[in-house]
Amino acid sequence: MSAQHSPPSPTTATVTVFASPASWIESDAVRQCHQVAALDGMRHVAAMPDLHPGKGAPIGAAMASTVLYPHLVGSDIGCGIAVFPIGLKRAVPERVAARFPDLDRSPDPDDPAWAVEPGEPPAGHVEGLGTVGRGNHFVELARIDTVLAADHAARLGLAAGDLVLIVHSGSRGLGERILRAHTESHGAGPAPDPAGYLARHDEAVRWGALNRRVLAARVAHALGAEPTEPVVDQCHNLVEVRDGGYLHRKGAAPGDGRDVLVAGTRGTPSYLVAGHAGPAANHSVAHGAGRKMSRADALRRGRAKHTVAQLRRTPVGSLVVCGDRQLLFEEAPTAYKRIEQVIADLVAHDLATPVASTVPLVTYKTPDLGPARRDERRRGRR
């Protein structure tokens, strides 16, 4: 299967979309790729099969340039997905869901989860640490379902039936603060001081990785298990200095010899893959299923097709913890592309090899608070 190439004009870079004709690729997303390709200094834009339109730049793309553009990374610098083994003997979804902590609130000062970071957090930024955020972020208890590459899975210490925590979150307000400081003075233009931006960017990347560890530790303790180190943790919103230039990734994971969890939806499997993407793909792989509906469309269509109860109990039997009804519809499985097609495209273009699939048991989005706890939170804000 050949990728879809767009040759450069005299003033634009090449654009390659690593997707098959069967994949759902919006023309607006491809148009955004070509807009990026026309920026000064751009060398090559590699679009993944989960490509979809973003604010100012496509999501699911790796963009190589001799010029550093902060807006191509966006505000959630350091966002990524980590996989943590968890030693639970049994996992009944209803019981597990009831024991998840409130991940909209930072841990209490005496929470044992803080032990994962005994020192000062990156940039001294404590606001929001240990919280998951909104949008497509989540913490999920999942089961290793099908092992597709036994030797590779064994090297990671994973086997069919094992339970893992999958954490998708980023740098929360820190990355937003960094981007805002740039755009207030320079808009969507390049960074006038690349070294200065990269220093702040690197702190946000480290902060995002720490946040995923704190989140996993909070949930592990709540479920009666000991925290573990992640077997996979790859950031998919970042800049990498490479080949004498800057490789911007927005919703694209490093795929050159890295293990990556490509997230499905709340009601479908996810896939752990071994990435082996080369220069044509800007050394990158997909980071998830990718949206096929805007949030407004998902909300409108979802309310016509689904009830809240249907979205809280998924077709695979898992539970979704989400007290925000609008977010529940916006993040419905039907709002996303088929993860199987995304993985098939990665395989067909020789970008990655599937190692194992995971099936969700409980996916946490926002706390599902009863009336008493909602009143308690309101009092706490006063």
Side-chain angles (χ1 to χ4, degrees):
M1 183 185 300
S2 61
Q4 303 167 33
H5 300 278
S6 294
S9 74
T11 58
T12 62
T14 50
V15 174
T16 305
V17 181
F18 289 90
S20 71
S23 298
W24 184 294
I25 303 291
E26 289 184 62
S27 59
D28 284 349
V30 177
R31 189 176 302 114
Q32 283 189 330
C33 288
H34 284 278
Q35 290 170 348
V36 168
L39 293 173
D40 289 344
M42 196 59 57
R43 292 170 168 172
H44 179 52
V45 177
M48 300 296 112
D50 59 335
L51 181 73
H52 56 286
K55 292 181 179 179
I59 300 172
M63 300 153 280
S65 174
T66 58
V67 178
L68 199 167
Y69 291 98
H71 82 279
L72 296 184
V73 178
S75 61
D76 199 7
I77 306 165
C79 186
I81 299 178
V83 179
F84 300 79
I86 183 167
L88 295 178
K89 294 181 179 179
R90 298 181 68 240
V92 179
E94 290 78 6
R95 294 179 182 175
V96 170
R99 295 175 67 180
F100 260 72
D102 181 349
L103 302 180
D104 272 10
R105 304 175 75 176
S106 292
D108 293 332
D110 59 350
D111 194 302
W114 291 122
V116 303
E117 176 53 38
E120 183 80 1
H125 188 77
V126 297
E127 183 182 352
L129 189 57
T131 64
V132 68
R134 294 294 175 98
N136 63 350
H137 293 167
F138 65 87
V139 178
E140 181 171 280
L141 178 67
R143 184 183 70 251
I144 302 293
D145 187 34
T146 304
V147 172
L148 303 160
D151 289 348
H152 197 118
R155 288 197 296 273
L156 295 173
L158 300 176
D162 287 353
L163 298 179
V164 293
L165 287 174
I166 300 172
V167 182
H168 178 198
S169 191
S171 60
R172 309 291 283 112
L174 179 57
E176 184 178 2
R177 190 174 72 189
I178 292 169
L179 181 65
R180 190 187 311 118
H182 171 81
T183 56
E184 284 177 351
S185 300
H186 309 288
D193 176 18
Y197 171 81
L198 285 172
R200 296 184 292 274
H201 159 280
D202 291 350
E203 287 187 317
V205 170
R206 290 194 297 272
W207 200 99
L210 170 61
N211 194 42
R212 291 187 285 278
R213 283 164 169 76
V214 175
L215 284 164
R218 292 186 71 184
V219 175
H221 283 302
L223 299 183
E226 287 298 314
T228 62
E229 287 296 305
V231 294
V232 171
D233 188 2
Q234 291 299 333
C235 171
H236 50 243
N237 284 3
L238 77 163
V239 179
E240 178 184 341
V241 178
R242 186 169 192 143
D243 299 329
Y246 303 101
L247 178 52
H248 311 74
R249 291 188 175 98
K250 180 146 177 95
D256 46 353
R258 323 282 184 94
D259 297 317
V260 176
L261 193 286
V262 184
T265 73
R266 311 298 72 78
T268 62
S270 296
Y271 286 83
L272 178 62
V273 305
H276 40 75
N282 278 339
H283 311 281
S284 302
V285 297
H287 81 306
R291 297 194 72 91
K292 71 175 182 180
M293 293 184 201
S294 69
R295 293 189 175 277
D297 283 345
L299 184 62
R300 176 176 53 82
R301 297 183 189 185
R303 283 174 168 165
K305 292 178 62 176
H306 307 293
T307 65
V308 168
Q310 288 171 337
L311 293 178
R312 285 181 170 163
R313 170 74 74 174
T314 76
V316 297
S318 65
L319 292 180
V320 179
V321 179
C322 184
D324 183 333
R325 292 192 174 198
Q326 178 173 325
L327 185 64
L328 196 62
F329 286 103
E330 291 175 349
E331 288 290 302
T334 51
Y336 284 82
K337 305 179 188 187
R338 289 183 61 250
I339 185 63
E340 292 81 6
Q341 184 62 56
V342 171
I343 299 301
D345 284 352
L346 293 178
V347 172
H349 292 104
D350 197 25
L351 304 186
T353 298
V355 174
S357 64
T358 68
V359 172
L361 299 176
V362 175
T363 305
Y364 176 102
K365 299 290 292 179
T366 68
D368 191 5
L369 303 176
R373 291 186 66 189
R374 278 196 289 270
D375 289 343
E376 177 187 336
R377 289 190 67 173
R378 291 192 191 101
R379 288 195 297 272
R381 291 193 186 105
R382 291 173 188 159

